[in-house]
């Protein structure tokens, strides 16, 4: 038995690959283009693992996709690969259209050709699991109910519009061709191996480096945080027992304002790695220009996943954020290598 994972050198895909190989004997083929966000150092511990087949390649390359599916005969495709950073999508939307829309289309087409050639039993068991985001639903007001799977899609950024497009393609390939698809829409993840362009790792590493902690606008935007290993367990559970054609929301019931998140990180760091001058890291907080079109609030209702498949997150925000900070403190080499020249170029483009 084999599964094919796309984007398994990124943050969530990388955590998924490590968790999967620790739990299953099944071979995992990991297709990743190694963009700026893909990092083979995340996969160092499984480099020589007999069940891990890493393929450096692009989901836009349909000949490669056809070849991989024919050679490895996977029982499932789990699709993490994407351009994932909202701010980058504002500076340069084209890569998001290419990978998130055209790339998902190519993957669906190759999966369809492969699936149609399988014998009946294997056709029935095959799954295409599309990993998507809560951002496709748009933005909530303070007193709105959390997003359910029935919430209309109202994406507001080039990133979320490209992910919503990919969700629609996945839905259509099920409805029209019968491809057995599953879609998960998850809230904000955090945890080990998170690229430091995103809020939580950026704040941890900037704090330790004595640099400003940038808060967009008033810092009162709300995100619903989920520890990454809980997202991985949700994906495994949906793959195992989700109903083909269905969409499942994944979230941690951990709504926090950005200011709360940043202050929590500062106070944990004050205890775990005090500043040399004895002052709080919170003194490094700086309010900067807001993100254009910044969504105010995301919140996920994950009740369907709990009721139908019995999934619940294992971590609270308090336990997860402490684990995350401890991981960054213990893995200075990984972060030093990530913060190389191209990362510094991004920081000067975004923050001036
Ligand atoms: P990431 O940016 O850390 O990793 C993306 C990975 O995809 C990288 O390894 C990159 O090299 C690879 N990739 C990019 N373009 C590719 C291409 N054309 N072909 C092959 N590989 C390519 O992203 P992430 O944060 O790990 O997110 C993974 C998935 O989960 C995405 O689909 C994202 O939309 C979704 N998601 C993310 C979050 C979050 O909080 N990070 C929450 C919900 C859903
Ligand atoms: O909700 C799921 C989404 O979460 C995923 O689909 C995306 O791939 C992922 O990047 C994430 O999107 P966000 O835009 O919510 O995450 P980000 O870490 O970029 O920002 C979190 C919040 O913090 C957001 O309100 C913007 C704010 N922010 C971010 C950065 C980088 C700041 O205030 N300052 C910053 O420097």
């Amino acid at each position: 038995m084999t599964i094919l994972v796309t984007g398994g050198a990124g943050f969530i895909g990388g955590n998924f690959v490590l968790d999967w190989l620790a739990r299953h004997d099944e071979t995992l083929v990991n297709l990743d283009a190694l963009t700026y966000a893909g990092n083979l150092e995340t996969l160092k511990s499984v480099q020589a693992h007999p069940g891990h087949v890493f393929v450096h390649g692009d989901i836009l390359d349909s000949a490669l996709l056809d070849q991989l599916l024919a050679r490895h005969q996977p029982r499932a495709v789990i699709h993490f690969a994407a351009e994932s950073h909202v701010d980058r999508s504002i500076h340069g939307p084209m890569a998001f259209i290419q990978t998130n829309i055209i790339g998902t289309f190519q993957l669906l087409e190759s999966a369809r050709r492969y699936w149609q050639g399988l014998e009946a039993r294997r056709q029935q068991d095959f799954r295409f699991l599309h990993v998507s985001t809560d951002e496709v639903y748009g933005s909530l007001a303070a007193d709105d109910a959390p997003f359910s799977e029935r919430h209309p899609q109202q994406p507001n950024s080039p990133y979320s519009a490209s992910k919503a497009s990919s969700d629609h393609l996945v839905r259509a390939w099920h409805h029209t061709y019968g491809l057995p698809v599953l879609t998960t829409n998850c809230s904000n993840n955090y945890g080990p191996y998170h690229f430091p362009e995103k809020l939580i790792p950026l704040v941890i590493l900037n704090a330790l480096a004595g640099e400003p902690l940038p808060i967009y606008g008033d810092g009162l935007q709300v995100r619903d945080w989920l520890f990454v290993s809980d997202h991985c367990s949700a994906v495994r559970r949906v793959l195992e027992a989700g109903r083909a054609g269905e969409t499942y929301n994944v979230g941690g019931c951990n709504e926090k304002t950005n200011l709360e998140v940043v202050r929590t990180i500062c106070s944990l760091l004050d205890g775990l790695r005090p500043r040399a001058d004895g002052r709080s890291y919170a003194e490094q907080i700086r309010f900067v220009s807001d993100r254009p079109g910044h969504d105010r609030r995301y919140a996920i209702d994950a009740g369907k996943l709990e009721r139908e498949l019995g999934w619940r997150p294992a971590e609270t925000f308090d336990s997860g954020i402490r684990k995350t900070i401890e991981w960054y403190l213990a893995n200075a080499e990984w972060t030093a290598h990530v913060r190389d020249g191209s990362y510094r170029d991004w920081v000067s483009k975004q923050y001036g």
Side-chain angles (χ1 to χ4, degrees):
M1 300 279 265
T2 298
I3 61 167
L4 172 64
V5 167
T6 70
F11 163 48
I12 304 172
N15 276 280
F16 182 86
V17 169
L18 296 176
D19 283 2
W20 182 272
L21 293 172
R23 288 159 192 274
H24 297 81
D25 285 335
E26 201 172 354
T27 299
L28 183 155
V29 180
N30 181 358
L31 172 66
D32 196 296
L34 296 179
T35 67
Y36 79 93
N39 187 349
L40 283 180
E41 279 197 56
T42 299
L43 302 170
K44 222 162 145 181
S45 64
V46 294
Q47 216 169 17
H49 193 294
H52 182 218
V53 180
F54 182 78
V55 180
H56 182 197
D58 201 308
I59 57 167
L60 288 154
D61 182 348
S62 64
L64 173 66
L65 296 175
D66 289 343
Q67 195 191 88
L68 285 176
L69 290 163
R71 184 185 315 150
H72 295 284
Q73 296 283 308
R75 69 171 175 98
V77 172
I78 305 171
H79 179 32
F80 292 97
E83 289 292 334
S84 70
H85 190 34
V86 175
D87 293 321
R88 284 187 192 255
S89 82
I90 295 167
H91 286 286
M94 184 53 122
F96 291 71
I97 306 305
Q98 285 292 345
T99 285
N100 299 359
I101 305 179
I102 314 285
T104 301
F105 160 74
Q106 296 289 17
L107 191 61
L108 280 165
E109 276 295 78
S110 289
R112 177 169 75 92
R113 282 191 286 273
Y114 164 71
W115 171 75
Q116 283 173 336
L118 294 175
E119 50 100 359
R121 182 59 201 259
R122 294 199 61 217
Q123 236 182 30
Q124 205 184 326
D125 291 345
F126 181 80
R127 293 290 180 271
F128 182 106
L129 193 155
H130 174 57
V131 179
S132 192
T133 170
D134 61 357
E135 298 202 14
V136 300
Y137 296 123
S139 185
L140 293 168
D143 52 358
D144 285 343
F147 300 126
S148 77
E149 289 80 0
R150 305 175 87 80
H151 195 283
Q153 292 208 343
Q154 295 169 325
N156 291 317
S157 72
Y159 163 69
S160 55
S162 68
K163 289 296 290 188
S165 307
S166 66
D167 291 11
H168 290 317
L169 292 174
V170 170
R171 179 189 153 85
W173 261 240
H174 174 70
H175 195 79
T176 302
Y177 304 112
L179 187 71
V181 304
L182 298 157
T183 297
T184 54
N185 291 90
C186 188
S187 62
N188 284 64
N189 283 216
Y190 67 101
Y193 304 110
H194 203 180
F195 194 83
E197 63 189 353
K198 309 280 170 68
L199 180 72
I200 287 181
L202 179 95
V203 164
I204 297 170
L205 297 185
N206 277 17
L208 293 171
E211 290 163 14
L213 311 181
I215 306 267
Y216 296 164
D218 61 8
L220 299 180
Q221 305 82 6
V222 172
R223 297 292 181 268
D224 183 353
W225 293 96
L226 182 71
F227 193 62
V228 63
S229 62
D230 281 326
H231 188 183
C232 296
S233 75
V235 169
R236 289 196 302 272
R237 184 66 191 136
V238 171
L239 178 66
E240 181 177 59
R243 284 181 290 132
E246 290 291 313
T247 294
Y248 296 90
N249 280 354
V250 187
C253 280
N254 282 308
E255 283 187 61
K256 308 269 173 218
T257 66
N258 294 336
L259 256 182
E260 273 176 276
V261 168
V262 174
R263 287 191 177 129
T264 302
I265 294 170
C266 290
S267 99
L268 281 165
L269 279 174
D270 287 341
L272 290 165
R273 180 71 61 86
R275 262 172 51 159
D277 62 6
R279 304 174 80 100
S280 173
Y281 288 101
E283 293 188 9
Q284 291 165 228
I285 291 177
R286 298 287 178 274
F287 289 88
V288 301
S289 309
D290 208 350
R291 172 184 280 174
H294 199 170
D295 283 338
R296 196 65 181 167
R297 173 177 168 240
Y298 305 142
I300 275 281
D301 172 358
K304 176 176 173 184
L305 185 52
E306 183 175 355
R307 276 190 312 278
E308 293 190 10
L309 305 185
W311 175 88
R312 285 178 68 89
E315 301 290 342
T316 62
F317 187 71
D318 287 349
S319 64
I321 194 70
R322 179 175 281 276
K323 282 186 184 174
T324 303
I325 292 174
E326 287 170 348
W327 186 88
Y328 278 94
L329 290 174
N331 287 276
E333 199 186 340
W334 184 91
T335 50
H337 292 170
V338 166
R339 298 187 116 201
D340 67 0
S342 58
Y343 177 76
R344 281 198 297 276
D345 291 347
W346 163 251
V347 170
S348 65
K349 186 172 183 182
Q350 171 68 4
Y351 301 97

